[in-house]
Amino acid sequence: MQETYVYNQRIGDVLDNIRRVMIGKEEAATLSLVALLAQGHVLLEDVPGVGKTMLVRTLAKSLDCDFRRIQFTPDLLPSDVTGISIYNPKELEFEFRGGPILGNIILADEINRTSPKTQSSLLEAMEEKNVTVDGNTIALQQPFFVMATQNPIEYEGTYPLPEAQLDRFILKLKMGYPTFAEELEMLERTAGDHPIDSIGAVMSREELVHIQEEVKQVYIDKNVQHYILNLVSSTRANAAIYLGVSPRGSIALMRASKAYAYIHGRSYVIPDDVKYLAPYVLAHRVILTSEAKYDGTTSEQILESIVKNVHIPIRKEFT
């Protein structure tokens, strides 16, 4: 119990660090930690200048982990991400030079600015936690966490992420503009040195890996699992959805719910955890029909409607 308390304190310290740098972004900070503890990855989609990259940098600086940044551009090659084998004339053999993907916390900045071929170089790493170069499979260090950013309004020179790539992100988040009061406080905090310069690591790599293992042990009742499956099944039967959520989405929602419960000091998942997380975990995994897109309906709106209409288990049945 004492050990668990210490780890919960570490999570609080990470959130405090983010609050010192980011104003009014508690929800995005908490959800980013949910993805990290669930061993998933995050896609941050929003307009420029609202703090997407700053959130990733702050999270990385709060953790004593190897941080790598990849700036995705149209001319980026898969080998620029994974690494390449170079011939060493002295040793008369090829030696592997690892790319930036071989870190712990990876910032994939403007991921939709590179070609699908380069985007696909992330698929194996994000799903299987290893990369294959020249026929050799290299295991990635643990923890391994990707936070990707993309701009939703600037389409020139961009490549939309394919469904297989989107499905690898456990959560899709939007930052949003700050309120007037929040932006005023932001101006005051950054009038001198930037707050990110004053924060340091508050959680070690070993502690993070241990917490990720503890999250796996969080209890989820069969009734709550049924609730997850009812939500997912509803996306497959919805008339406005052309392609519903896959089983990978069901697993992602369960893992995220466990991490959310752990962050809130519980050793078990409740239906409200699932209900809150469902739009963030499932909305980017569905493909709408042409008619729904034409009507201006968004996947978030449909998921919110599904969550409202699916029965929530309110009691545990004993047999």
Side-chain angles (χ1 to χ4, degrees):
M1 290 294 293
Q2 183 65 27
E3 187 182 60
T4 301
Y5 173 77
V6 170
Y7 289 132
N8 284 333
Q9 192 79 15
R10 293 285 185 273
I11 292 172
D13 292 340
V14 173
L15 290 173
D16 286 341
N17 262 5
I18 296 175
R19 290 188 196 101
R20 288 168 59 187
V21 178
M22 309 290 296
I23 312 297
K25 303 298 181 186
E26 284 82 3
E27 184 177 51
T30 301
L31 290 172
S32 298
L33 268 180
V34 165
L36 175 62
L37 299 187
Q39 300 185 42
H41 311 284
V42 174
L43 177 63
L44 288 168
E45 181 183 74
D46 218 318
V47 296
V50 294
K52 300 188 297 295
T53 302
M54 187 59 62
L55 174 60
V56 186
R57 287 181 57 200
T58 306
L59 181 60
K61 201 168 182 183
S62 300
L63 306 170
D64 187 21
C65 296
D66 185 17
F67 172 63
R68 307 285 183 92
R69 174 174 178 161
I70 309 172
Q71 186 65 51
F72 283 83
T73 56
D75 60 345
L76 197 73
L77 299 174
S79 58
D80 295 327
V81 176
T82 60
I84 192 171
S85 295
I86 299 176
Y87 183 70
N88 186 335
K90 291 184 179 180
E91 302 293 334
L92 300 179
E93 62 182 17
F94 285 90
E95 59 183 33
F96 177 67
R97 300 285 179 88
I101 199 67
L102 302 182
N104 297 126
I105 310 295
I106 312 297
L107 167 56
D109 213 0
E110 296 186 300
I111 189 173
N112 58 332
R113 283 202 167 277
T114 197
S115 67
K117 182 178 181 179
T118 304
Q119 289 176 11
S120 67
S121 65
L122 290 171
L123 290 176
E124 181 186 7
M126 292 172 66
E127 184 66 21
E128 301 172 30
K129 304 295 189 296
N130 55 53
V131 294
T132 302
V133 180
D134 296 334
N136 298 317
T137 300
I138 302 154
L140 298 176
Q141 303 177 59
Q142 296 304 315
F144 176 71
F145 177 58
V146 176
M147 287 191 78
T149 69
Q150 70 173 6
N151 181 351
I153 65 169
E154 191 175 349
Y155 295 110
E156 186 175 349
T158 62
Y159 303 84
L161 296 182
E163 285 69 33
Q165 182 80 59
L166 284 171
D167 211 27
R168 261 55 175 194
F169 292 100
I170 194 169
L171 297 172
K172 182 180 178 183
L173 308 178
K174 295 182 179 180
M175 304 287 288
Y177 284 115
T179 64
F180 184 90
E182 290 169 349
E183 197 160 0
L184 179 61
E185 186 178 351
M186 195 182 304
L187 294 178
E188 293 173 349
R189 288 196 191 184
T190 56
D193 294 332
H194 199 285
I196 197 172
D197 298 329
S198 63
I199 67 171
V202 293
M203 183 188 294
S204 69
R205 177 162 46 188
E206 292 73 20
E207 287 174 330
L208 176 55
V209 171
H210 185 88
I211 291 174
Q212 289 178 331
E213 291 302 315
E214 281 201 335
V215 166
K216 293 179 182 178
Q217 308 308 316
V218 171
Y219 173 74
I220 180 166
D221 188 75
K222 187 158 289 187
N223 285 324
V224 181
Q225 291 178 331
H226 287 171
Y227 179 46
I228 290 174
L229 294 181
N230 287 337
L231 289 171
V232 170
S233 298
S234 296
T235 68
R236 300 169 188 167
N238 192 289
I241 296 178
Y242 173 72
L243 186 65
V245 176
S246 69
R248 183 186 285 127
S250 308
I251 296 170
L253 184 52
M254 180 182 69
R255 287 166 47 200
S257 300
K258 286 186 173 188
Y260 189 77
Y262 186 93
I263 287 175
H264 287 82
R266 282 183 277 107
S267 60
Y268 54 90
V269 176
I270 60 175
D272 280 348
D273 299 331
V274 177
K275 180 181 178 181
Y276 171 71
L277 291 170
Y280 298 105
V281 177
L282 304 181
H284 64 285
R285 302 174 188 271
V286 301
I287 300 177
L288 304 186
T289 61
S290 301
E291 294 80 4
K293 292 178 182 177
Y294 182 78
D295 291 339
T297 307
T298 65
S299 54
E300 287 82 6
Q301 290 172 338
I302 293 176
L303 257 298
E304 288 174 4
S305 174
I306 288 174
V307 169
K308 287 180 181 177
N309 292 318
V310 172
H311 172 71
I312 301 173
I314 58 174
R315 59 176 293 180
K316 177 176 172 62
E317 300 292 342
F318 293 93
T319 58

